[in-house]
Amino acid sequence: MEKTSVRVLCPKLLIIRNVSGLQWLIGSPFFPQFTIVSTLTCIHTLGDSTSPDYNTESEDLRTLLLRGFHVIGALVVGSKCDLERVAGEAADASRRMRKFLYGDEYGGKLGNQDLIGAIADSESGEIHFFVSRGENPTGLECVRSVIYEDDSGKYVWDTGCLLHCVLPIKLPFYFPVNSPSDAGEMYLRATDVIIDKLKDSDVTYMVETLNETSVEAPGPVILHGAKLDFHADLFDVNRFGDSSQGSGAKSFPCSYFCSKNKAVFSVEHADIIQVSLLLNKSRTSSKSAAPIAEYVPASEQTKLLVVDYKLEVLCYAAKDLPVTYAVSKLVVPGLVDQLNSIKNTILPNLLTQHLQLHPYHFCPPGFLHPITVIYELSYGETEMKQVEVRRSLHSRLGLPFDRPLLRIANALNLSTTKDSAKSNSIRKGSSLLRDVHVGIPSSGVSGGVVSLVQGSYEYHHYLQDGFDDSGWGCAYRSLQTIVSWFRCQHYSSIEVPSHREIQQALVEIGDKDPSFVGSREWIGAIELSFVLDKLLGVSCKVINVRSGAELPEKCRELALHFENQGTPIMIGGGVLAYTLLGVDYNESSGDCAFLILDPHYTGNDDLKKIVSGGWCGWKKAVDSRGKNFFLHDKFYNLLLPQRPNMV
């Protein structure tokens, strides 16, 4: 008998979050059995018990999880005793959750699936995996082989792709004025009509690539509803590799629309297949006839109500899956899931509130695959109710509560046009270099621990924007880099301030006289802290050292800043200012290096020139020639912006 193995793709720390409770283990029918790609915390329980509220949990998971991923088990965090009993309860919870999620969708095979039951010690992090066999759910098999995948991104995206479908819905229906309670029933009927239309023989699905823009890009493939198989069993993956079905559209695998040479494997660089729905409202007939309008008078006074929203569905599929099955077993069920989720949200408020519901897709840090969230934006995303929705999502996904990771600005940009697909991850409105430190040579500190800025930033330096600030504007440029970091992490949407706007802010708070605006006067760390507080509401910590020779003594404190806060640091000493992006520190020997981003650069934005010229690079306090980078006869102020505590 072959030895049972569990393969873990998600980072181990995502499984152990030092919080007791239940977590759903997520896998895919396209991966080998018992392959865990992510975990989702159970946040809805019955009363004061730890038993899941399966109805509410399943509604949330149905929205969050892309079709192509599903629950394959459960993990209990915090238990140390009676391992087999607790593992059996975890497996049973996942079996019940699957029935709530999928019902009879997979036929009799659903209850016969083998599932994982796992227990984790919240203190030691040790995990015990068990397998509950479908045909004997009370008997557990202890798993001795657990594999933690090194290159998880490649594992998921080398053989997998995304399918994207956008469907605007405009749903008009009538209800009796004297019986408004009937509006709900009429709305449900209208929604059921749309669901039936998705599987109608007159529906046509056009499938095309979003990734390829060359002349060799494959053309679109047309799938007719009458030829789609909505009864195929998605668990029977082997049948999907069968290419003996002829040369028609049915034999085209998803790989037909995917890039042939991929070097980077991540959500941002995933192959995306666009699926568009077209409804053929004209029928072919041997006889020509004029259009016919039928008049059916209402028996009583009625009122017209129009509900409109947009469905936007993402699905994950193996590249060898024929597109017919990808559409019939992933895209269409995904549309139905989202339609029902929106219906359930709208129904209680149908006559009292016009909800603005919109689906967004995110891939938070630590996740290998996107998740989908439906936001209600009638009052904007900063409204307290929306903040609480995001906090709940952070809790479910194991995300920190001190940074915005699920705001609209964080959403994946899934354009439906090929021209903009190439710039999926590029923020509009900025042509400046970003993250110039990535890929630079190491510092040369033997046995050091590297602590770096977290997230993205833009490189601001002398003479940019056609503005000559050479000789006096280095601190202004460092401040602009810091502000860009807060923009890139979506803490703020304000534009990076110009020199004049920085000066105006200092005048408005009373720190400078009006004559300061338009001058060429220097500013330092204290002024930068005032501006960050006024423009962004960001507080700062300031470290003072009497001499540049003392800066290496602050390396441990600086490393803690980058690990806990992750913001760029401004260093000001004498007449010079720099931006600090990281430190490499050997605590035993005291040897250290500073990753400096130099705002004094005056050339064009040539990354190779900037790195080779040392304008971004590691600097030792004393280099190999005995030269001091930080002046010993000058005092230095270090400005450490603090990350806002917000979601």
Side-chain angles (χ1 to χ4, degrees), residues 25 85 102 113 129 146 184 230 276 290-291 327 342 344 365 387 407 414 482 486 507 545 558 566 584 599 636:
L25 303 179
R85 178 185 63 80
Y102 315 120
Q113 287 297 303
F129 289 99
V146 181
F230 292 102
S276 303
V327 171
I342 291 178
N344 294 336
V387 173
R407 293 196 174 199
L414 298 166
I482 291 172
F486 284 95
V507 170
V545 295
L558 296 174
D584 191 352
Y636 283 82

Side-chain angles (χ1 to χ4, degrees), residues 507-563:
V507 170
E508 289 176 2
I509 65 173
D511 182 66
K512 302 292 183 184
D513 294 329
S515 60
F516 179 66
V517 178
S519 70
R520 299 166 68 90
E521 292 186 33
W522 299 330
I523 57 174
I526 303 303
E527 286 90 347
L528 263 65
S529 70
F530 292 159
V531 175
L532 287 172
D533 180 48
K534 175 174 174 53
L535 298 183
L536 303 180
V538 168
S539 61
C540 298
K541 178 180 178 182
V542 177
I543 299 176
N544 308 111
V545 295
R546 292 171 297 178
S547 165
E550 297 179 7
L551 274 171
E553 300 174 12
K554 301 297 181 182
C555 265
R556 178 184 296 174
E557 189 173 352
L558 296 174
L560 287 174
H561 168 83
F562 286 116
E563 291 167 9

Side-chain angles (χ1 to χ4, degrees), residues 39 41 62 73 90 119 173 206 289 317 333 345 352 428 482 527 597 628 632 639:
T39 69
T41 300
R62 195 175 288 111
I119 309 152
F173 60 93
M206 182 172 68
T345 304
T352 59
K428 296 180 180 179
I482 291 172
E527 286 90 347
L597 183 67
N628 297 316
H632 287 199
L639 183 79

Side-chain angles (χ1 to χ4, degrees), residues 275-349:
V275 179
S276 303
L277 186 148
L278 307 170
L279 181 61
N280 181 14
K281 292 188 176 181
S282 61
R283 296 179 180 271
T284 57
S285 172
S286 57
K287 299 180 181 178
S288 2
I292 299 174
E294 186 176 3
Y295 173 65
V296 181
S299 58
E300 55 185 307
Q301 188 177 2
T302 60
K303 182 177 180 180
L304 173 65
L305 189 63
V306 179
V307 177
D308 60 283
Y309 47 85
K310 182 173 72 173
L311 303 180
E312 184 173 351
V313 167
L314 267 186
C315 304
Y316 175 83
K319 291 181 180 179
D320 60 1
L321 178 69
V323 292
T324 50
Y325 293 112
V327 171
S328 64
K329 298 305 296 180
L330 297 173
V331 175
V332 172
L335 289 169
V336 172
D337 284 347
Q338 198 170 99
L339 189 61
N340 283 326
S341 294
I342 291 178
K343 174 194 71 178
N344 294 336
T345 304
I346 288 177
L347 192 57
N349 308 280

Side-chain angles (χ1 to χ4, degrees), residues 77-125:
V77 181
S79 179
K80 296 182 179 179
C81 58
D82 205 353
L83 299 180
E84 191 165 328
R85 178 185 63 80
V86 177
E89 292 174 354
D92 182 61
S94 65
R95 185 167 277 106
R96 290 191 64 188
M97 174 54 67
R98 287 167 63 87
K99 290 180 180 178
F100 271 82
L101 282 170
Y102 315 120
D104 297 326
E105 185 175 336
Y106 298 125
K109 290 192 175 183
L110 181 67
N112 294 324
Q113 287 297 303
D114 301 339
L115 299 173
I116 299 173
I119 309 152
D121 188 327
S122 60
E123 296 179 2
S124 68

Side-chain angles (χ1 to χ4, degrees), residues 59-70:
E59 288 179 3
D60 281 4
L61 295 186
R62 195 175 288 111
T63 299
L64 280 170
L65 278 179
L66 273 60
R67 283 284 176 156
F69 295 105
H70 59 188

